[in-house]
Amino acid sequence: MKKNAIFIGALAGGALLAGGYFFFSSSVSKENYTELSVSNMPAEQINPKSVSTQAIKETQSGKHISKERSVQPSTVMSEQEILNEAPIETSPYDRANATVDNLRLLLAEAESSEKQGEIQSILQSLLENAEQDASALSSIIDNYRLDPNSEMGTHLQSVLAEIKDPEVEAAAIDLVKSGGLENQIAGLDLLAQLNIPSESTYNLTRDILAANDNPEVLMSALNAMPVIPLPAQDAQEAMQQLSTLARSSADSGVRSASIFKIGQWAKDEHDLSPVVGILQKSNDPDDRISAIMAIQESNVVSDQLRYTLAQLMSNKKELWEVRRMAAESLTRFKMSSKEYAAYQTFLKEQGDIAEGN
């Protein structure tokens, strides 16, 4: 009986000890548990993926492992899980590249309104990144250079055109000089969209106008040519070059673009005289309409020009578009009483036509 009591007592004591150990283990913090478990773990059982080599050496030498190098007591992440969990640091250049890759994938898909919205969102993201970081801008330029004439190139060009940055202008000029008709036109079109009034762009376009006879290249160069301050002699040479193209080019588009450029460059009646001459003498309707549009958009004011415009407005045999723009151009002049009366008469005629009378 006594032996049984002793045996039962031993069992109870063992249970209390086990319960106490369980309570103690449960109340130990994660850090303490880790330190205890690792510090008492044989070196060959330590997971090298979870503990650094230095930590293992310190454990084997009897040193305590710090909390920063602690091991998770329950699960150990696989290498792939670690890669998925850890944030990957990328440069703005690489992030811009990844965004361009997303755009490339979208462009390869079928057309849809949803896709167009995603494309616009990506283009906006590229623009914002390029405006904030020079390396992101460099990434867009590098991708644009790969194929400026593709659909991708067209989209990237639209982004670059919004950034009035010397690096973009330099890239466009390099493209023009790189050789190849399509690249030359693409570079000139980007310069036209940038519209940066720089001497380097002016010199480039001036040289192209002097040495080229391809209508597409000439039109692109004319559109890209900036209007910049020049010494009188240089400005006169530029006007002569434009006047020659406006009068004698075999291509109507080149003539029209030259006429518009003269209107932009003109500082006085003498500068604008080639355009007025075309308006008075040319029988080509397109040339004449281009000429009156150039006059309308110019800032030149002179008595002779006012008289010419009043005559055109009042001539019922004249093209209606020429008459209408001549009347609109007259509003920037101080008209005489007779001219003003003719202007009012034209307005009434215009109103009657609009009403079907």
Side-chain angles (χ1 to χ4, degrees):
M1 191 70 143
K2 188 174 181 180
K3 289 182 180 178
N4 289 338
I6 293 172
F7 177 73
I8 293 171
L11 288 176
L16 285 173
L17 287 173
Y21 177 78
F22 177 80
F23 173 79
F24 174 76
S25 300
S26 302
S27 64
V28 175
S29 67
K30 183 182 291 185
E31 292 85 359
N32 290 337
Y33 177 88
T34 302
E35 291 169 359
L36 287 169
S37 61
V38 174
S39 61
N40 293 298
M41 186 185 300
E44 61 272 12
Q45 295 182 14
I46 298 176
N47 188 341
K49 295 180 181 177
S50 305
V51 184
S52 67
T53 303
Q54 182 63 31
I56 294 173
K57 290 180 179 178
E58 290 181 1
T59 302
Q60 290 173 337
S61 63
K63 294 183 180 179
H64 213 53
I65 298 179
S66 66
K67 294 179 181 179
E68 288 77 14
R69 294 195 299 273
S70 63
V71 183
Q72 296 298 327
S74 56
T75 60
V76 178
M77 294 173 65
S78 68
E79 290 182 352
Q80 186 58 46
E81 288 173 328
I82 293 172
L83 288 174
N84 291 339
E85 287 288 325
I88 300 174
E89 292 296 329
T90 57
S91 69
Y93 184 97
D94 292 332
R95 287 198 295 272
N97 261 343
T99 306
V100 171
D101 287 339
N102 288 339
L103 176 60
R104 186 176 287 106
L105 291 174
L106 270 176
L107 293 177
E109 295 176 0
E111 291 289 337
S112 69
S113 57
E114 181 180 351
K115 187 185 83 167
Q116 291 303 315
E118 292 179 15
I119 289 174
Q120 292 305 313
S121 177
I122 288 177
L123 293 177
Q124 182 62 34
S125 175
L126 286 172
L127 175 60
E128 292 172 358
N129 291 338
E131 289 176 334
Q132 295 170 6
D133 191 279
S135 60
L137 174 59
S138 296
S139 173
I140 298 172
I141 291 174
D142 289 345
N143 280 282
Y144 171 69
R145 281 171 166 158
L146 293 176
D147 192 358
N149 299 288
S150 64
E151 185 180 8
M152 167 70 80
T154 300
H155 283 297
L156 294 182
Q157 181 173 302
S158 70
V159 173
L160 295 174
E162 295 294 324
I163 307 170
K164 311 298 184 183
D165 190 283
E167 186 177 352
V168 179
E169 183 187 25
I173 290 175
D174 288 344
L175 194 60
V176 174
K177 294 179 177 180
S178 66
L181 181 65
E182 290 186 350
N183 284 355
Q184 191 174 32
I185 292 173
L188 288 169
D189 289 346
L190 177 53
L191 288 173
Q193 292 176 25
L194 286 171
N195 194 27
I196 298 176
S198 70
E199 189 172 348
S200 56
T201 297
Y202 168 74
N203 291 334
L204 176 69
T205 53
R206 178 201 60 197
D207 293 343
I208 290 175
L209 293 179
N212 208 297
D213 58 0
N214 183 289
E216 289 185 80
V217 174
L218 289 175
M219 285 186 63
S220 294
L222 286 164
N223 292 331
M225 176 181 273
V227 178
I228 62 173
L230 290 174
Q233 181 62 34
D234 293 344
Q236 184 60 32
E237 291 175 0
M239 295 299 287
Q240 289 175 352
Q241 185 180 44
L242 294 171
S243 297
T244 300
L245 288 170
R247 288 193 303 265
S248 60
S249 175
D251 186 85
S252 61
V254 173
R255 293 197 304 271
S256 179
S258 301
I259 290 169
F260 287 135
K261 191 59 65 175
I262 292 173
Q264 294 173 5
W265 274 94
K267 299 293 190 295
D268 53 34
E269 183 181 11
H270 177 73
D271 290 342
L272 200 60
S273 59
V275 176
V276 176
I278 290 171
L279 184 59
Q280 293 174 330
K281 299 175 183 177
S282 175
N283 294 321
D284 188 306
D286 291 337
D287 287 355
R288 301 182 77 252
I289 290 174
S290 294
I292 191 63
M293 289 177 67
I295 291 172
Q296 183 183 15
E297 294 177 5
S298 76
N299 297 316
V300 174
V301 175
S302 73
D303 292 340
Q304 183 59 46
L305 182 59
R306 187 188 75 241
Y307 174 79
T308 301
L309 292 171
Q311 291 293 107
L312 291 168
M313 176 190 67
S314 301
N315 185 1
K316 294 190 177 183
K317 294 181 180 180
E318 183 59 78
L319 291 170
W320 177 255
E321 284 300 310
V322 172
R323 294 184 67 193
R324 181 182 62 80
M325 285 187 277
E328 291 173 358
S329 299
L330 275 173
T331 59
R332 72 171 183 263
F333 292 83
K334 293 180 179 179
M335 290 180 275
S336 66
S337 298
K338 183 178 179 180
E339 289 165 345
Y340 183 73
Y343 174 73
Q344 291 297 324
T345 300
F346 175 80
L347 292 182
K348 183 179 183 306
E349 182 182 356
Q350 188 176 37
D352 291 341
I353 291 174
E355 294 174 2
N357 297 331

